[in-house]
Amino acid sequence: MATIDAQVLREMIERFRVLIIGRANAGKTTILQKVCNTTDEPEIYDTEGRQIDAAVVKSSIKRGNHDIRNEMVFKSNPGFVFHDSCGFEAGSEEEFLNMKIFISERANATKLEERIHAIWHVIPF
Ligand SMILES: Nc1nc2c(ncn2[C@@H]2O[C@H](COP(=O)(O)OP(=O)(O)O)[C@@H](O)[C@H]2O)c(=O)[nH]1
Ligand SMILES: [Mg+2]
């Protein structure tokens, strides 16, 4: 079986796509800022690549309309794209279901760059 060199793979996918899961306030955003070595808030883009205003994102999360398909990108690290989920707390069955749908869609995506390349489950101690 032919193997693909990691460097070649990185060039093929352009951006490494990570799904980060854990309950609200688990520290997901904070840990992403740490690994991206930034204190900036991430920029949020919809699936069509249109940037969404941070205030709009915050108010829709408050209304319970969080969209896992949105892409979070830190200016300092354009090679990484993050998807945020908060479906691991009691009473958020819908968010949990959305996460499962998103994972199955992105596990079967034909385009390698659209697939989820890693899932990071954040558990606060
Ligand atoms: N004590 C403590 N607080 C943290 C830690 N990481 C994040 N926080 C705080 O917890 C709150 C929620 O963090 P945030 O990253 O927004 O969580 P998210 O909802 O999972 O994205 C913020 O007030 C952070 O400053 C940590 O490791 N220890
Ligand atoms: Mg967050």
Side-chain angles (χ1 to χ4, degrees):
M1 196 177 78
T3 55
I4 306 172
D5 183 73
Q7 185 61 38
V8 174
L9 206 52
R10 286 300 293 270
E11 282 163 19
M12 279 168 71
I13 61 172
E14 285 177 45
R15 301 188 302 172
F16 193 80
R17 191 177 298 274
V18 180
L19 169 62
I20 186 158
I21 56 181
R23 62 170 174 73
N25 287 321
K28 299 181 295 297
T29 304
T30 307
I31 210 160
L32 293 181
Q33 286 170 323
K34 291 284 180 196
V35 297
C36 291
N37 194 26
T38 184
T39 53
D40 290 349
E41 289 296 318
E43 293 176 337
I44 315 284
Y45 296 87
D46 68 14
T47 45
E48 266 79 58
R50 284 182 297 246
Q51 190 168 0
I52 310 171
D53 191 271
V56 173
V57 175
K58 281 203 180 103
S59 66
S60 58
I61 289 171
K62 277 209 186 99
R63 292 195 310 272
N65 299 324
H66 168 260
D67 194 340
I68 192 170
R69 295 169 302 171
N70 287 347
E71 300 184 335
M72 287 173 35
V73 181
F74 292 95
K75 266 205 199 83
S76 58
N77 282 60
F80 287 84
V81 47
F82 301 103
H83 293 271
D84 198 2
S85 170
C86 42
F88 275 62
E89 59 216 283
S92 24
E93 283 79 11
E94 194 184 343
E95 176 72 11
F96 189 75
L97 182 64
N98 286 338
M99 183 199 65
K100 289 199 287 186
I101 292 167
F102 180 70
I103 291 173
S104 59
E105 277 172 6
R106 296 303 183 106
N108 297 312
T110 323
K111 290 183 184 165
L112 206 54
E113 64 264 34
E114 287 179 2
R115 291 194 194 167
I116 298 166
H117 305 124
I119 298 178
W120 189 352
H121 187 185
V122 177
I123 305 164
F125 286 97

